[in-house]
Each structure stands twice: as structure tokens, then as C-alpha cells.
Amino acid sequence: MDNLQDKPIKGILLRVASGALFTGMLVCIKAVSEEVPVGQSIFFRSLFALFPIVIFLMIRREFPKALATRRPLGHLLRSGLGAAAMFFSFSAVAFLPVAEATLLVQLAPVFMAIGGVLLLGERFSFYRAGAIVLALAGMAVLVIPGLNASEGDGRLLGYVLGTLGAILTAGALLTVRRISRTETAGSIAFYFIVVAALAGLATLPLGWASLSHTQFALLVLSGLFGGAGHIAMTLAFRYAEVSRLAPFEYVALVWPVIADWVLFGIPVSSGFLLALPLMLSGVALAAMEGRRRRLRARVKSEG
């Protein structure tokens, strides 16, 4: 699961598939968000995400040996950040269209670029500066037109929650970058899901909803979609570099746009259409910076 292979077409197809699966997950969460508390949604999402991931590891004969770890504290930090990011992202989708909540999550690579400079001492390059400027411009275009209308429907709160979720996701991914030198992708995914499930379970004393059959089925589906989406995303980055996959973030966002329109009757806003190219151009620049960093490291190791 950790061997990088150069199969770009397969990587692209898996990236597009992962976008559809993650959209399915968010659609299920949004459908129950008015009646089911966020913590309860996270528990069921995480619990049932274990099934596809464990089955996948068993098929590859990596279970349970892939769960061995030399960095338990690193896993705890990564999993804690990821679980917190899930809380914020699932809260955001209750207030926002699925497409806008998904777009905000896409900002994680840009925040990773900022975190790399502030926390890891990486160089502040032209690519990082451009990524930050484009991402901020996209956020302004998305948020500012809806500020007045947001007072009644919680849209502004959704933007804040979604952005915080993207920041925490970036922190989790920066931690993954550090621990992946010794840890397998299977162990990173498994321990994150376990910690997220426990975090969701910890909200039980705050009060959970009595689930109908439909709500339970949607929560089960959210977990299966989420687990399968994680597998597809992981494999996509095994088969193709981030910079090569970056343009297909546009394709991945087609699914939530369709879901909003068909399932929830929410049309695409002009702010979303204007913000989309700005934000994803920033993501592409951040990805290009990551590729340049890996190429420099490769040249140094070969030299």
C-alpha cells in the first residue's frame, strides 16, 4: 500500500471515483443533519468505514501486520486533528450546500503550504505566495456576497466551520507527512478511524437521537462511502503525483454540484462559480510546490 507506482490514468480514475464516494458520504450526513447530532454521525460514519478498510487490508494480506506502529503519539496527534476536522466539516455541511462545503475542504493543501513555512521551516516560495493569494481571493468571492443573506440561515457560520475544518485537515496531513516515513498508510487510516469513532462516542452523554430505519441506513452508507473513498484516494496518490491529479479536483467537484441540484434542490451560486477557479488554482500551485520539493529531495538523495 506504500509503494509509489507511475500509473497516471489509474490514479486519475481513482481520484474521480473518490470524489463521488466522498460526495455520497456528505450527502448522507447532510440528509440527517437536522435530526442527528454531529457526534453521533461521526461515530456511525467512522464505525462503518472500518469495514471496507479492514477488508481492503485483508485482501492485500496487510491485516493485522500493517497496524504495527513505532509512532503511537504521532498517530494520536494525526487522529485527533483529523477527528476535530471531521467535527467541523460535518457541522459545516449542515449549513452549506454540499458543493460549497466540499470546496472549503479543498483548501487544505493551501493551509498545508502555510503550515510548512510556519511549523516546518520550509521556504516561502512564489508558488506558496500565489497559492495563498488565490485561495484568499476565492474565499472572499465565495463569502462576501452572502454575508447579508447569511444572518438568517447560518451560512456565514458554515463558512467559518468549513474553513476551520480545512485548517485542521491541513494539520492532520502535515502530521501524516512526518509519520509516513515509518508508518504504513493502512495503520494511519485505521487508527484515525478508531480515534474518530471514540470521539464521536464520547458525545453520547450529550444526547443522541433515536434513529429511524432510514437515518440508520444513511449513516451506515456514510461510513461505507467514506471508507471506500479513503481507499480510492490513497491509491490515487500511489499511482499519480499530487500535481498531476490537481486539475481533476474540478471533476471531483462536479459530483457535489449535481447532488445539491438533484437531491436538495439547491442551485449553483454565482459566488461558487467565481470562487471555484481561484481556489483550485491555489490548490494546484500548492501541489506544484510539493512536487518541486520532492524533486529536490530526490536529486539530493541521488547525488
Side-chain angles (χ1 to χ4, degrees):
M1 199 166 176
D2 292 307
N3 295 326
L4 181 63
Q5 304 176 46
D6 188 19
K7 297 180 180 178
I9 300 300
K10 185 177 287 189
I12 289 166
L13 291 175
L14 284 165
R15 175 64 190 96
V16 173
S18 72
L21 290 164
F22 283 130
T23 297
M25 177 192 74
L26 287 178
V27 164
C28 293
I29 295 300
K30 186 172 181 64
V32 302
S33 61
E34 291 187 5
E35 296 87 15
V36 180
V38 173
Q40 187 175 3
S41 294
I42 287 175
F43 171 75
F44 282 99
R45 184 271 186 213
S46 302
L47 177 65
F48 288 98
L50 281 174
F51 287 88
I53 288 178
V54 169
I55 291 170
F56 178 75
L57 291 174
M58 291 175 67
I59 291 172
R60 296 176 64 90
R61 298 181 180 178
E62 296 179 353
F63 186 85
K65 64 180 181 180
L67 305 184
T69 177
R70 288 183 283 173
R71 305 282 296 275
L73 293 180
H75 279 290
L76 183 61
L77 177 60
R78 178 268 181 271
S79 301
L81 289 170
M86 193 183 294
F87 270 91
F88 281 108
S89 297
F90 281 14
S91 298
V93 82
F95 297 103
L96 298 175
V98 176
E100 293 185 5
T102 303
L103 182 58
L104 291 173
V105 173
Q106 300 292 335
L107 290 175
V110 178
F111 291 124
M112 280 183 70
I114 299 172
V117 173
L118 298 178
L119 302 177
L120 304 180
E122 296 175 354
R123 189 169 62 88
F124 189 73
S125 67
F126 164 78
Y127 289 95
R128 295 186 191 227
I132 294 167
V133 169
L134 287 168
L136 290 176
M139 289 182 67
V141 168
L142 179 66
V143 174
I144 291 175
L147 286 182
N148 293 331
S150 298
E151 294 175 359
D153 60 9
R155 207 175 183 93
L156 180 58
L157 176 60
Y159 291 138
V160 173
L161 292 169
T163 302
L164 289 173
I167 292 172
L168 288 165
T169 298
L173 293 175
L174 283 171
T175 307
V176 168
R177 185 192 295 177
R178 301 294 295 271
I179 67 175
S180 60
R181 299 168 186 170
T182 60
E183 307 301 296
T184 65
S187 67
I188 293 172
F190 182 85
Y191 291 122
F192 159 59
I193 289 172
V194 169
V195 169
L198 292 174
L201 184 62
T203 67
L204 178 60
L206 301 178
W208 280 11
S210 298
L211 299 177
S212 67
H213 293 302
T214 300
Q215 290 169 336
F216 179 74
L218 286 170
L219 289 173
V220 171
L221 280 175
S222 75
L224 297 177
F225 283 142
H230 185 92
I231 292 168
M233 177 74 82
T234 299
L235 290 176
F237 289 123
R238 294 278 172 248
Y239 292 127
E241 292 185 334
V242 175
S243 55
R244 189 169 287 180
L245 294 175
F248 294 91
E249 301 296 335
Y250 287 93
V251 180
L253 280 162
V254 169
W255 308 122
V257 168
I258 293 173
D260 281 332
W261 180 41
V262 175
L263 299 177
F264 301 110
I266 303 174
V268 182
S269 68
S270 57
F272 175 84
L273 293 175
L274 291 172
L276 180 63
L278 291 170
M279 287 190 180
L280 292 188
S281 295
V283 171
L285 279 178
M288 290 173 65
E289 168 66 14
R291 184 180 185 184
R292 289 177 70 250
R293 186 177 58 252
R294 287 192 299 274
L295 286 174
R296 286 197 302 268
R298 189 182 305 169
V299 169
K300 287 181 180 179
S301 64
E302 292 175 355

